[in-house]
Amino acid sequence: MKIAYVLPIDIVRYHGILNKVSSQISAWEKNKNTVKVFLVTSRDLSELDSTALPSINDKKKIAAFKSKKLGLLPIDLLKDWIGLSSMFSEVLEAIAEFSPDIVYARSALYQPFYGKLGSKYKLVLELNTDMASEYKLQSKQSIKYFLRYIYFLFTKEKLFKGVSGLAAVTFGIAKATNIKDKELGVFPNSIDIFQYPDYPNKSINRNIVFIGSPDMPWQGFDILIKLAERLPAITFNLIGVSKINIEVPSNVIFHGFMKNDEYLSLLYSATACIGTLALFRKNMEEACPLKVREYVACCKPVILPYKDTAFESLGYPDWVLQLPNSEKGILSSSGKVEAFVDKCNAFNINKEDVKKYVHVDDIEGRRLRFFEKVMNSAADSN
């Protein structure tokens, strides 16, 4: 197959996603497929050199396009809507020149560009979240997010109408999408675990690492602070956020945004790592965050306050502590967290232990078979 991967992304902020994309492409190519990435970003394209994608760039397997903005005004998006030539026109021309069998795109808000893709190619959309619940939750934070939610409500039917298949990262997201007439598959997030160091889970100081992004209420930074208050003997290292607007105990350390090679050094010294703490805020019970894949790839014990798709399918090993998916449930489990941290050094976790849960090969093999199914079903409907 010839696969065009359409990737609208902030290449500075989302290193974990770029790691995932790089792993996906490698797995697809191992299976004799030809892949080209069509990356759309508002960032300076020189930033690509510090991401997980340079090796792809060196092989001329990525076409990068910079979208134009005037302040917060998305110039190229507006041009796309009114039918003027734009950066998105250039992307369409580049995809046409590549002539793919299938186009794979990460979920995004609808715009005519996606409608044109869907009309010309077999388009599979990757669903990474319950967009309705997430956008509704964030709409309370600012006018910008409120307008985005309104825009989503008015255009979501157009977005799904133009696709041939949907690839959700969890069963819950697939169910919430509630689309009946499209091919639908569930493929948890995965990464190439062999690209990560095999860290020993031996830590002199008891500490928990959390990776998250600001302005996302479901990350649950506030809950993590309250948990830290109940566990003063454990250090909490927060990566991705510089501060929070509440009083913070002395055992919490903010590290701000860190690149992959920077936060891996903190993972090396972690006793355990913790996943997203407030999925209940967007009515989600199940998830498969990329940060948890990175924790597991580094052979670290993990604390999960939700159902993880991979472990739900294959079972929870003793080096995973599952907590209730609620603020009250998490905080009332502080004793369990402390007891778990105290026994983490006894776990002997290696790459073979974690491979079946998060490694890229098996999951991407199933995704490729899904692509073939989408192609065949689209052909049958013609």
Side-chain angles (χ1 to χ4, degrees):
M1 276 184 293
K2 292 182 71 175
I3 306 169
Y5 199 138
V6 176
L7 185 61
I9 193 170
D10 182 329
I11 56 177
V12 173
R13 188 175 182 184
Y14 295 111
H15 278 253
I17 294 174
L18 295 178
N19 290 337
K20 169 192 170 180
V21 170
S22 182
S23 296
Q24 285 180 307
I25 292 167
S26 295
W28 295 351
E29 290 180 333
K30 282 181 185 176
N31 282 276
K32 312 296 185 187
N33 298 287
T34 302
V35 186
K36 187 163 186 175
V37 177
F38 297 85
L39 183 142
V40 175
T41 184
S42 60
R43 295 284 191 168
D44 191 320
L45 297 180
S46 65
E47 298 281 359
L48 262 177
D49 293 336
S50 62
T51 73
L53 297 181
S55 60
I56 300 170
N57 201 26
D58 291 342
K59 298 175 185 175
K60 299 185 175 9
K61 292 180 180 176
I62 178 169
F65 302 84
K66 184 177 179 180
S67 59
K68 301 178 188 68
K69 286 185 176 182
L70 183 61
L72 293 176
L73 201 63
I75 301 299
D76 282 303
L77 176 59
L78 292 175
K79 284 184 175 181
D80 189 33
W81 264 106
I82 60 178
L84 295 178
S85 180
S86 69
M87 177 271 301
F88 293 104
S89 306
E90 297 174 20
V91 179
L92 284 170
E93 289 176 7
I95 292 174
E97 184 177 347
F98 179 60
S99 187
D101 297 308
I102 199 159
V103 176
Y104 189 69
R106 283 183 61 83
S107 56
L109 290 169
Y110 173 79
Q111 65 185 82
F113 168 69
Y114 286 98
K116 293 170 186 174
L117 278 178
S119 66
K120 294 181 179 179
Y121 308 101
K122 299 171 183 67
L123 174 63
V124 174
L125 193 69
E126 179 178 284
L127 302 177
N128 302 286
T129 186
D130 180 344
M131 297 170 75
S133 294
E134 180 174 313
Y135 291 168
K136 182 178 181 180
L137 177 62
Q138 285 191 304
S139 70
K140 303 171 185 177
Q141 294 181 250
S142 69
I143 292 295
K144 173 186 172 182
Y145 285 136
F146 174 76
L147 293 174
R148 183 183 68 172
Y149 178 54
I150 298 301
Y151 179 90
F152 167 76
L153 291 178
F154 277 100
T155 60
K156 63 178 181 177
E157 297 300 328
K158 285 181 175 290
L159 177 64
F160 295 134
K161 182 179 180 180
V163 303
S164 299
L166 298 166
V169 298
T170 74
F171 294 102
I173 291 171
K175 183 177 180 181
T177 304
N178 195 29
I179 301 295
K180 305 296 184 184
D181 60 341
K182 309 292 181 183
E183 294 291 343
L184 178 62
V186 176
F187 311 94
N189 284 323
S190 64
I191 56 176
D192 184 351
I193 64 172
F194 297 105
Q195 296 297 315
Y196 289 80
D198 193 351
Y199 291 143
N201 51 299
K202 309 296 180 186
S203 178
I204 298 174
N205 300 311
R206 298 193 297 175
N207 74 93
I208 292 174
V209 167
F210 176 84
I211 300 174
S213 299
D215 302 322
M216 296 180 177
W218 60 91
Q219 296 286 351
F221 287 111
D222 55 321
I223 299 175
L224 195 65
I225 299 303
K226 293 175 184 177
L227 184 62
E229 289 173 345
R230 300 187 178 208
L231 298 170
I234 297 176
T235 300
F236 288 77
N237 288 289
L238 276 62
I239 300 169
V241 63
S242 300
K243 61 181 179 179
I244 192 169
N245 294 325
I246 59 175
E247 188 174 346
V248 176
S250 60
N251 61 323
V252 175
I253 303 173
F254 291 100
H255 295 275
F257 173 79
M258 302 178 79
K259 293 183 179 179
N260 180 268
D261 57 340
E262 295 172 328
Y263 66 70
L264 284 178
S265 64
L266 278 176
L267 287 181
Y268 178 82
S269 61
T271 309
C273 302
I274 193 166
T276 306
L277 289 105
L279 279 174
F280 58 87
R281 288 176 177 161
K282 53 178 181 177
N283 301 317
M284 290 179 67
E285 292 284 339
E286 178 195 1
C288 55
L290 283 166
K291 64 188 171 196
V292 173
R293 271 79 196 130
E294 292 191 278
Y295 302 159
V296 174
C298 292
C299 300
K300 289 295 177 178
V302 291
I303 301 166
L304 303 178
Y306 55 84
K307 298 175 181 178
D308 189 290
T309 309
F311 297 115
E312 285 292 306
S313 299
L314 299 170
Y316 289 80
D318 58 358
W319 44 267
V320 174
L321 174 65
Q322 201 176 14
L323 301 181
N325 182 25
S326 68
E327 179 173 350
K328 181 179 180 181
I330 292 169
L331 297 180
S332 65
S333 301
S334 59
K336 291 182 179 179
V337 172
E338 186 165 26
F340 180 74
V341 168
D342 284 341
K343 68 179 183 180
C344 279
N345 282 347
F347 297 131
N348 185 23
I349 310 169
N350 58 51
K351 286 286 195 285
E352 287 304 313
D353 294 325
V354 306
K355 183 178 179 181
K356 65 180 181 179
Y357 299 108
V358 300
H359 188 50
V360 68
D361 287 351
D362 289 346
I363 293 171
E364 293 309 318
R366 290 196 290 111
R367 197 188 309 268
L368 289 171
R369 291 191 289 275
F370 177 72
F371 289 171
E372 292 172 353
K373 182 178 179 182
V374 169
M375 291 166 59
N376 292 334
S377 64
D380 292 342
S381 63
N382 291 335

